[in-house]
Amino acid sequence: MLADVVEYLTCPVCRAGLDLGDRVLRCARGHAFDIARQGYVSLLTGSQAPGTADSTAMVAAREAFLGAGYFGPLSEAVAGACRTGAKVVADAGAGTGHYLAGALDRLPGAVGIALDVSKHAIRRAARAHPRLGAVVADVWRPLPVGDGTVDVVLNVFAPRNGAEFARMLRDDGVLVVVTPTSRHLEPLVERLGLLSVDESKERRVAESLSGHFVETGRSVHEFGMTLGHGAIEAVVGMGPSAWHTEPEVMRRKIIELPETSNVTASFRMSIFQPAL
């Protein structure tokens, strides 16, 4: 709920603190932001187009696939990486709030801030956990979170803004970054012509955080999944390949696959601390 996290939010116009009113967030200078009936608030401002936002179909696919538990081992790993005793966890690029909700389940008393540029995703995130506040925000702009107020920042398959993440984190905070490895979704990548992971992905992650963070841990999490046609359509539809394929064309390719396929899930998780 926004009431749980409003003390950590800031006005995107003037950076002042925000107070919760009757279905509105308002700062002392009078800037006001309506709370949607679904319980989230948009703190995007200006006419500049935001970054790429997940569509309704992508969000629905992600909710279906993650809700079925296929990435359960990854959710557990992300939750386990959160600092013991953390009180405030922010998820930058939270999507449906799945990973943030899992972290909050492991952190009694902690609250979570879900940040995503997609209103479709944030609507789902708003109901992902009772101690979660959902905010529409663009990771490429100053995020509406106070300086040094967050214990853990999660960044799972999402863009990284090193300067903003470092600003939000406490000096002893941690940043948890998850990216797919080149083995992710084998053999579907080849059979369905999906986008493959860029060989320079790891280098680009390091460069995006350079000067702001120091990597203190790294691990690879890999596990097998047995997926039917519906689950394969969902995992394709929720990822970057969804932007580059026609749904009907992909559906025909999936129908040609065996009734079930053994698929590899493979992720790299890195832990960073602020470079003080």
Side-chain angles (χ1 to χ4, degrees), residues 61-99:
R62 181 171 293 117
E63 186 169 53
F65 189 85
L66 296 178
Y70 292 111
F71 282 0
L74 176 62
S75 298
E76 293 177 8
V78 170
C82 294
R83 185 166 65 81
T84 301
K87 296 301 182 184
V88 184
V89 182
D91 191 343
T96 62
H98 177 82
Y99 299 102

Side-chain angles (χ1 to χ4, degrees), residues 1-74:
M1 299 293 289
L2 286 170
D4 295 316
V5 302
V6 66
E7 64 183 290
Y8 308 110
L9 301 179
T10 58
C11 174
V13 179
C14 66
R15 308 299 294 174
L18 291 168
D19 292 315
L20 180 62
D22 184 17
R23 302 199 65 79
V24 67
L25 293 185
R26 192 186 308 274
C27 75
R29 297 186 180 182
H31 302 124
F33 308 90
D34 293 336
I35 298 172
R37 60 182 177 82
Q38 295 92 345
Y40 71 89
V41 65
S42 176
L43 295 181
L44 278 177
T45 59
S47 58
Q48 177 184 348
T52 303
D54 288 350
S55 66
T56 303
M58 292 177 72
V59 171
R62 181 171 293 117
E63 186 169 53
F65 189 85
L66 296 178
Y70 292 111
F71 282 0
L74 176 62

Side-chain angles (χ1 to χ4, degrees), residues 3-236:
D4 295 316
V5 302
V6 66
E7 64 183 290
Y8 308 110
L9 301 179
T10 58
C11 174
V13 179
C14 66
R15 308 299 294 174
L18 291 168
D19 292 315
L20 180 62
D22 184 17
R23 302 199 65 79
V24 67
L25 293 185
R26 192 186 308 274
C27 75
R29 297 186 180 182
H31 302 124
F33 308 90
D34 293 336
I35 298 172
R37 60 182 177 82
Q38 295 92 345
Y40 71 89
V41 65
S42 176
L43 295 181
L44 278 177
T45 59
S47 58
Q48 177 184 348
T52 303
D54 288 350
S55 66
T56 303
M58 292 177 72
V59 171
R62 181 171 293 117
E63 186 169 53
F65 189 85
L66 296 178
Y70 292 111
F71 282 0
L74 176 62
S75 298
E76 293 177 8
V78 170
C82 294
R83 185 166 65 81
T84 301
K87 296 301 182 184
V88 184
V89 182
D91 191 343
T96 62
H98 177 82
Y99 299 102
L100 179 55
L104 294 176
D105 283 341
R106 291 276 294 268
L107 297 168
V111 298
I113 306 170
L115 302 160
D116 201 286
V117 73
S118 169
K119 288 185 178 181
H120 307 298
I122 282 297
R123 287 191 187 109
R124 308 291 181 106
R127 60 175 187 260
H129 197 280
R131 288 183 273 118
L132 182 157
V135 178
V136 179
D138 188 349
V139 73
W140 296 122
R141 303 185 196 180
L143 291 167
V145 179
D147 297 356
T149 57
V150 175
D151 298 296
V152 180
V153 172
L154 303 181
N155 181 252
V156 184
F157 318 129
R160 292 157 298 280
N161 186 331
E164 278 299 284
F165 294 172
R167 179 190 62 76
M168 288 161 38
L169 274 173
R170 302 182 191 277
D171 290 345
D172 60 348
V174 296
L175 167 64
V176 181
V177 177
V178 178
T179 56
T181 78
S182 59
R183 284 174 48 80
H184 187 50
L185 296 187
E186 290 183 348
L188 296 181
V189 172
E190 182 177 355
R191 292 179 181 175
L192 299 178
L194 306 180
L195 295 179
S196 58
V197 176
D198 185 351
E199 293 182 358
S200 64
K201 180 76 170 181
E202 189 174 350
R203 175 182 57 79
R204 289 189 290 106
V205 170
E207 288 178 350
S208 69
L209 301 174
S210 177
H212 302 288
F213 288 94
V214 175
E215 187 175 14
T216 58
R218 182 187 303 183
S219 55
V220 173
H221 300 266
E222 193 165 284
F223 48 92
M225 305 177 292
T226 301
L227 305 182
H229 290 174
I232 291 173
E233 187 172 346
V235 78
V236 172

